[in-house]
Amino acid sequence: MKKDLLSIEDLTQVEIVSLLESTRALKAQRGPVRDLQGKSLGMIFQKPSTRTAVSFAVAMYELGGLPLFLNAQDLQLKRGESLGDTAKTLSRYLSGIMIRANKHSEVEELAKHATLPVINGLTDKEHPCQVLGDLFTILEVFKLKDPRQLKNYRVAYVGDGNNVAQSWMLAAGLLGMELVVCSPEGYLPEKEFIARASAVCGKSGGKVLYEKDPKTAVAGAAVIYTDVWASMGKDEEHDRRKQVFSSYQVNETLLQNAGKNAVVMHCLPAHRGEEITDGVMDGPRSVVFDQAENRLHVQKAVLLQYLKK
Ligand code: CP
Ligand code: NVA
């Protein structure tokens, strides 16, 4: 296991399977355990968060450890202290750091100087903990006994080729799944991730495909996944994106093109009425709040894996 979880690709297929199995056991026996007693997690936020912040904090609490909220605005980072010096200092106090940052490169810089594990709680490029929770949700929804069975599943990601999509591409590749990314021209994932996904698929037999037409993308998919059209940091592009993405909405009509048993996922927060309708979000195929809950259980597995020494 690498010291840090910065990208989903920091994990091997075997490590992902093991985290998902451990998540299953932790969810089944939910309740306070003391496995991280005496451990502390610094949680640095450069951007807002509801799920990541609360699920990591409650996970630490239920494991007997201390979660420490560190708003980046309140740290000396804001007054120019370097990431390196911050990492070296925090390494003297804490057992691990979870960071939500604007730039992925800043998280890499922090991890380089930290002697403790650094966990990515979302950057502009990736959201690995989200995708681990998503994978666990798919296991649960389809009652899969073995996480390796995920390789039989086709996921259609409809929307912006953003951080969540990019982690999903690598995860699908690592697990040998089939992922169709359906984004409008100009909003595909970055070339670097397209190349990395193709490389991991080459080893696993997985497929990451790109499709312009949402109806074609969702045909035969077990999961239809979407996310906001304008991620944090892209707020000023919101109006323009609303126009560009208007035919990429996950709505009742699009769902008619998917299989009867297909479920709908969204990492949340949602912009209801934009990328997803109220009817779909609150409808019988939506598993979005199970997905949100599972962030807690998967984060416990991650924390135990990285912090329990
Ligand atoms: N999905 C997710 O990471 O949500 P938050 O932004 O609320 O943490
Ligand atoms: N793509 C979204 C995910 C939020 C959890 C964003 O970066 O804002």
Side-chain angles (χ1 to χ4, degrees):
M1 195 76 137
K2 289 191 178 174
K3 173 177 86 69
D4 308 302
L5 176 53
L6 307 189
S7 164
I8 194 87
E9 212 185 350
D10 286 333
L11 297 167
T12 62
Q13 184 190 95
V14 171
E15 287 165 347
I16 294 176
V17 167
S18 152
L19 282 170
L20 296 176
E21 279 169 345
S22 153
T23 301
R24 203 195 302 265
L26 286 158
K27 184 168 181 178
Q29 51 169 257
R30 183 173 177 192
V33 285
R34 315 301 302 167
D35 292 17
L36 292 186
Q37 189 161 26
K39 305 278 184 185
S40 49
L41 179 75
M43 306 193 299
I44 303 177
F45 288 96
Q46 293 179 353
K47 296 179 176 186
S49 170
T50 298
R51 281 143 288 268
T52 306
V54 178
S55 58
F56 263 107
V58 173
M60 271 310 275
Y61 172 74
E62 290 189 4
L63 292 170
L66 173 75
L68 207 55
F69 278 99
L70 303 168
N71 185 330
Q73 291 296 311
D74 300 331
L75 296 174
Q76 294 289 7
L77 270 174
K78 181 164 188 272
R79 294 182 53 254
E81 186 169 29
S82 73
L83 279 162
D85 290 347
T86 304
K88 287 175 197 159
T89 305
L90 293 179
S91 296
R92 302 291 180 109
Y93 304 130
L94 298 167
S95 321
I97 298 174
M98 189 280 292
I99 177 166
R100 167 163 289 195
N102 294 313
K103 290 195 186 141
H104 195 83
S105 56
E106 291 184 350
V107 177
E108 289 173 336
E109 172 76 5
L110 187 85
K112 189 173 97 186
H113 294 281
T115 54
L116 40 65
V118 174
I119 298 165
N120 177 356
L122 180 145
T123 65
D124 54 337
K125 302 226 185 243
E126 280 207 55
H127 199 359
C129 295
Q130 175 68 51
V131 173
L132 289 171
D134 298 342
L135 292 168
F136 180 74
T137 306
I138 297 174
L139 276 190
E140 256 192 338
V141 167
F142 294 105
K143 301 186 174 28
L144 307 185
K145 292 216 168 60
D146 184 339
R148 291 170 197 85
Q149 291 171 274
L150 284 166
K151 73 173 188 309
N152 303 322
Y153 283 76
R154 176 180 163 106
V155 176
Y157 177 95
V158 181
D160 186 27
N162 60 17
N163 43 11
V164 172
Q166 291 180 163
S167 283
W168 248 107
M169 288 157 63
L170 299 174
L174 285 163
L175 293 170
M177 298 172 74
E178 186 170 310
L179 174 72
V180 188
V181 179
C182 182
S183 311
E185 193 73 45
Y187 296 87
L188 278 167
E190 292 173 25
K191 285 201 176 74
E192 177 205 326
F193 283 87
I194 293 177
R196 283 169 64 185
S198 157
V200 278
C201 283
K203 291 182 207 149
S204 68
K207 279 189 196 153
V208 178
L209 310 165
Y210 305 91
E211 169 58 53
K212 287 267 145 35
D213 176 25
K215 289 195 179 101
T216 310
V218 304
V223 175
I224 296 146
Y225 198 116
T226 192
D227 186 13
V228 289
W229 292 336
S231 283
M232 290 181 275
K234 304 268 186 208
D235 297 318
E236 74 290 352
E237 296 177 24
H238 179 252
D239 291 348
R240 173 161 170 65
R241 283 170 173 261
K242 250 176 99 168
Q243 291 175 358
V244 174
F245 283 90
S246 60
S247 56
Y248 288 75
Q249 186 184 61
V250 175
N251 55 32
E252 290 81 342
T253 312
L254 183 65
L255 284 199
Q256 285 171 7
N257 296 278
K260 275 209 309 285
N261 297 323
V263 297
V264 175
M265 299 180 74
H266 190 313
C267 56
L268 305 182
H271 285 170
R272 287 168 176 258
E274 293 185 14
E275 76 279 0
I276 191 164
T277 55
D278 281 332
V280 171
M281 179 115 164
D282 301 325
R285 291 158 178 249
S286 168
V287 296
V288 301
F289 295 107
D290 296 319
Q291 206 184 336
E293 178 189 332
N294 286 333
R295 295 290 306 279
L296 168 67
H297 308 298
V298 89
Q299 253 116 241
K300 282 186 180 172
V302 167
L303 288 167
L304 285 169
Q305 187 61 52
Y306 284 86
L307 267 58
K308 192 179 168 186
K309 293 264 159 55

